[in-house]
């Protein structure tokens, strides 16, 4: 699948390539999927952690390269699937976790067996050990970073506000 060409709606060809150490990149966007065992009782604790803090998603937005993140507890509460799409390279993305939201990542992933902590020197080896490169992956906007999308949304809002003002809404 690596180096396959894909054509998006804007007829711009982008090639599937490696995101760095592990994972795929399509254009400017990369994918990361981790499957890891949970500690005894970790599934229930993680469910509570993910649902108890309404501000946690705002904290995630501190990493302005994150398109999305998903946590899925499966296999009778024994394993966690963590999947995300992000802008750029693998190493830089993992470094962002350690510098921008270390407490939050440690809060969630402390329920994973043998999780060393986001600032532990072995964290990248730990993630790579549990990461699985996607077999198939679709990215609707491979040439648009999160910042590009935010800029587009602000531009569209400003344009719509102008049109509304001219039309007297």
């Amino acid at each position: 699948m690596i180096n396959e060409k894909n054509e998006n709606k804007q007829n711009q060809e982008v090639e599937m390539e490696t995101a760095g150490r592990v994972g795929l990149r399509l254009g400017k966007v990369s994918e990361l999927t981790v499957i890891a065992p949970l500690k005894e009782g970790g599934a229930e604790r993680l469910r509570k952690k993910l649902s108890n803090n309404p501000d946690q998603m705002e904290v995630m937005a501190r990493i302005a390269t994150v398109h999305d993140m998903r946590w899925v507890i499966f296999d009778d509460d024994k394993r966690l699937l963590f999947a995300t799409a992000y802008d750029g390279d693998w190493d830089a993305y993992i470094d962002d976790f350690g510098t921008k939201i270390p407490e939050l990542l440690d809060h969630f992933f402390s329920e994973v067996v043998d999780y060393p902590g986001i600032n532990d020197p072995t964290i990248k080896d730990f993630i790579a050990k549990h990461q699985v490169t996607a077999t198939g992956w679709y990215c609707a906007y491979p040439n648009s970073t999160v910042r590009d999308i935010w800029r587009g949304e602000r531009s569209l809002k400003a344009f719509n506000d102008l049109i509304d003002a001219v039309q007297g809404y």
Side-chain angles (χ1 to χ4, degrees):
M1 182 172 230
I2 294 178
N3 292 326
E4 289 181 10
K5 289 192 177 183
N6 214 355
E7 205 169 310
N8 68 13
K9 292 179 183 178
Q10 300 151 351
N11 292 325
Q12 298 172 333
E13 285 189 2
V14 291
E15 286 192 29
M16 190 81 68
E17 58 188 353
T18 181
R21 191 165 177 180
V22 187
L24 297 174
R25 180 174 43 236
L26 184 61
K28 297 177 182 178
V29 183
S30 299
E31 63 84 24
L32 180 147
T33 304
V34 169
I35 299 174
L38 289 167
K39 294 176 180 176
E40 185 70 32
E44 190 57 36
R45 290 189 300 272
L46 182 56
R47 280 188 186 95
K48 286 178 185 174
K49 290 177 182 184
L50 288 167
S51 66
N52 280 347
N53 186 354
D55 299 326
Q56 67 194 12
M57 294 309 145
E58 287 182 33
V59 173
M60 289 294 188
R62 289 182 192 161
I63 301 181
T65 58
V66 175
H67 288 258
D68 63 73
M69 289 184 172
R70 294 162 308 287
W71 288 263
V72 179
I73 297 168
F74 70 107
D75 195 17
D76 293 324
D77 287 356
K78 293 180 186 136
R79 294 193 293 165
L80 170 69
L81 180 143
F82 172 73
T84 182
Y86 61 95
D87 299 327
D89 293 326
W90 189 91
D91 278 294
Y93 186 58
I94 304 305
D95 291 343
D96 278 349
F97 283 130
T99 58
K100 296 181 179 167
I101 58 168
E103 296 86 8
L104 190 60
L105 262 289
D106 284 346
H107 178 67
F108 293 140
F109 287 96
S110 65
E111 301 305 335
V112 171
V113 172
D114 296 328
Y115 174 72
I118 193 65
N119 288 314
D120 188 281
T122 66
I123 189 62
K124 290 182 179 180
D125 292 333
F126 175 84
I127 293 168
K129 173 183 170 187
H130 294 286
Q131 188 171 347
V132 179
T133 298
T135 304
W137 174 47
Y138 169 77
C139 180
Y141 304 102
N143 292 312
S144 298
T145 66
V146 170
R147 290 176 193 266
D148 292 339
I149 293 166
W150 289 347
R151 187 179 309 110
E153 287 177 343
R154 287 191 311 272
S155 298
L156 180 61
K157 182 185 180 320
F159 178 75
N160 285 334
D161 289 349
L162 177 65
I163 295 299
D164 288 349
V166 168
Q167 293 180 344
Y169 292 123

